[in-house]
Structure formats: C-alpha cells, structure tokens
C-alpha cells in the first residue's frame, strides 16, 4: 500500500537559529578585535588598506570552510535519517501487504485517500472508484454517520476506536469489525476484518448452550 511518506525533520528548529547567532557573534568579535589589532600594528594608510583586504579574505576563507563542514555534517545526518525512514516504511509496507485485512486511509472529513486489499471481492465497489471519494456516498446513512463519528473520535483522542457492522457483499450479509487508528497528519487508518465466520460460530455455540 502506497501511503504518503511522512517526512522527519533531521534537526530541531533551533539548529539554524543557533547557527546563525553563532555566526553573528563570531563575525562581530572578529571585526572588532582584528580592527583593533591592525590599528595597533600599523599606522600607514596603504599598509592598513592591504591588511584589511587580507583580513577580509582570510575571514571569507575560514567561514566558508566552516560552512562546508557544517553542511556536510548536516547532509550526512539527513541522509542517515532518510535511509532509516525508507527502511521503516519498507518494513511497514511489507507488514501491511501481508495482512488479510482491508485497510482504508481517510482524512478528517471522510475522503478515502488510499486502500489496501488482497481481494477486490471484499469491497462493495472497485478500489479505484473508492479512492478520492467520500465514504458517505458509498454507505448507508447510519453506517456513514457511525464511521465519521469514529474517525473524528480517533483524531480527537488519539486512541483506537472499534465499530462492528453488517454489509451486503456479493448477495451475502457479512459481519465486519473496523478499527479506526490515528495515522498522523489529520488522517485515520480504518482496518477492517471480516468476522462473519467468528460470528457464525459464536451464534452456534449460543444456540447449543440454549438447547442444553
């Protein structure tokens, strides 16, 4: 299932701010102290001008080198983070593809963003017809309201919510259990499992116990 990649920021927000402030402090001290040193060593205007030029180029050389080293470290850290993220996504995708369950991804208003299913027959409509559509258009009013309520609860509480429902699939009334799990970015994953057989066995056990 090709869920949208969630980006990880390699460094906290204070990193560029701290880097900028450090540069300002170092540059200010360099200008102040180097000017005092040059003025203390030479009085000749031509010599002062030459010394200021060399001082400027030396500062550019040092700060440029430091900037290259900092960016190199930053990019290496970002690349490591990106590789770790890709590996994590690959493992997650492998697990999702191995599950027999239906998996839907919804945004906060009920738009279906993505679907994972091993069998198209588990769906009322083809997957391509469901992507990008509001689930309210494909469900009964009661089922749509219950689903939207649990999507919003999952987003509000950050917890998993469960809904059991019945649905007609290929002329058969089947039982399903849906788990609504917050997935970040104001989205919810709905993991649906066909529990028709479990329900049938449970009813048979209840009927057997009732006869005894």
């Amino acid at each position: 299932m090709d869920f949208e990649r969630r980006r990880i920021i390699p460094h906290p927000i204070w990193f560029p701010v701290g880097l900028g402030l450090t540069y300002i402090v170092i540059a200010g001290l360099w200008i102040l102290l180097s000017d005092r040193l040059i003025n203390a060593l030479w009085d000749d205007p031509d010599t002062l001008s030459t010394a200021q030029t060399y001082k400027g180029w030396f500062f550019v050389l040092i700060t440029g080198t430091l900037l290259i080293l900092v960016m190199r470290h930053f990019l290496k850290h970002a690349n490591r983070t990106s590789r770790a993220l890709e590996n994590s996504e690959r493992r997650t995708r492998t697990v999702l593809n191995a599950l027999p369950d239906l998996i839907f991804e919804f945004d906060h208003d009920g738009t279906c963003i993505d679907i994972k299913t091993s069998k198209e027959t588990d769906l009322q409509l083809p997957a391509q017809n469901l992507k990008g559509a509001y689930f309210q258009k494909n469900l009964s009013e009661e089922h749509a309201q219950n689903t939207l309520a649990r999507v919003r609860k999952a987003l509000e509480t950050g917890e998993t919510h469960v809904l059991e429902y019945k649905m007609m699939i290929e002329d058969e009334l089947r039982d399903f259990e849906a788990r609504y799990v917050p997935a970040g970015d104001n989205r919810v994953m709905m993991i649906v499992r066909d529990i028709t057989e479990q329900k049938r066995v449970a009813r048979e056990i209840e009927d057997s116990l009732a006869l005894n």
Side-chain angles (χ1 to χ4, degrees):
M1 188 175 188
D2 190 17
F3 288 113
E4 178 183 343
R5 174 174 298 179
R6 272 56 168 182
R7 296 292 181 183
I8 296 178
I9 300 175
H11 284 278
I13 189 62
W14 49 259
F15 177 80
V17 175
L19 184 62
L21 291 176
T22 302
Y23 176 81
I24 291 173
V25 171
I26 293 176
L29 290 174
W30 169 261
I31 293 172
L32 177 65
L33 298 178
S34 61
D35 282 347
R36 288 185 176 181
L37 178 62
I38 289 175
N39 290 330
L41 293 175
W42 296 286
D43 293 328
D44 179 66
D46 291 336
T47 304
L48 286 173
S49 177
T50 301
Q52 290 286 358
T53 299
Y54 283 123
K55 183 196 75 169
W57 280 111
F58 180 75
F59 181 76
V60 169
L61 177 63
I62 294 299
T63 54
T65 302
L66 291 176
L67 181 61
I68 290 172
L69 294 175
V70 170
M71 290 305 300
R72 181 181 178 186
H73 171 76
F74 182 89
L75 291 175
K76 286 177 64 176
H77 182 88
N79 288 335
R80 285 197 300 268
T81 302
S82 179
R83 286 195 297 270
L85 177 60
E86 289 175 357
N87 291 335
S88 176
E89 289 179 341
R90 191 178 300 111
R91 288 192 296 269
T92 301
R93 193 177 299 112
T94 300
V95 172
L96 290 175
N97 290 333
L99 292 176
D101 305 316
L102 287 168
I103 302 178
F104 299 82
E105 187 177 18
F106 295 112
D107 65 11
H108 67 285
D109 64 356
T111 301
C112 182
I113 300 171
D114 208 346
I115 301 172
K116 176 263 172 187
T117 178
S118 57
K119 296 188 298 182
E120 286 280 343
T121 54
D122 289 336
L123 300 172
Q124 280 187 314
L125 297 172
Q128 61 267 24
N129 294 349
L130 296 173
K131 288 184 181 181
Y134 292 98
F135 62 74
Q136 293 95 323
K137 295 181 179 180
N138 303 304
L139 302 175
S140 66
E141 182 178 354
E142 180 182 3
H143 190 183
Q145 290 177 352
N146 289 335
T147 297
L148 184 58
R150 281 161 178 77
V151 167
R152 289 174 175 171
K153 281 184 179 180
L155 291 173
E156 290 171 2
T157 64
E159 299 175 351
T160 299
H161 292 267
V162 180
L163 172 67
E164 290 189 5
Y165 63 92
K166 297 179 182 293
M167 182 173 289
M168 190 68 70
I169 304 290
E170 294 188 331
D171 300 324
E172 178 188 359
L173 187 61
R174 293 157 68 176
D175 293 280
F176 294 92
E177 178 193 78
R179 293 180 176 270
Y180 300 84
V181 183
D185 292 339
N186 215 22
R187 297 180 180 183
V188 170
M189 288 178 60
M190 183 176 76
I191 304 173
V192 181
R193 175 164 296 180
D194 189 336
I195 58 172
T196 304
E197 185 62 21
Q198 292 94 311
K199 287 287 187 179
R200 184 189 64 78
V201 172
R203 285 193 295 268
E204 289 180 354
I205 293 174
E206 289 178 359
D207 292 342
S208 177
L209 292 175
L211 293 176
N212 295 333

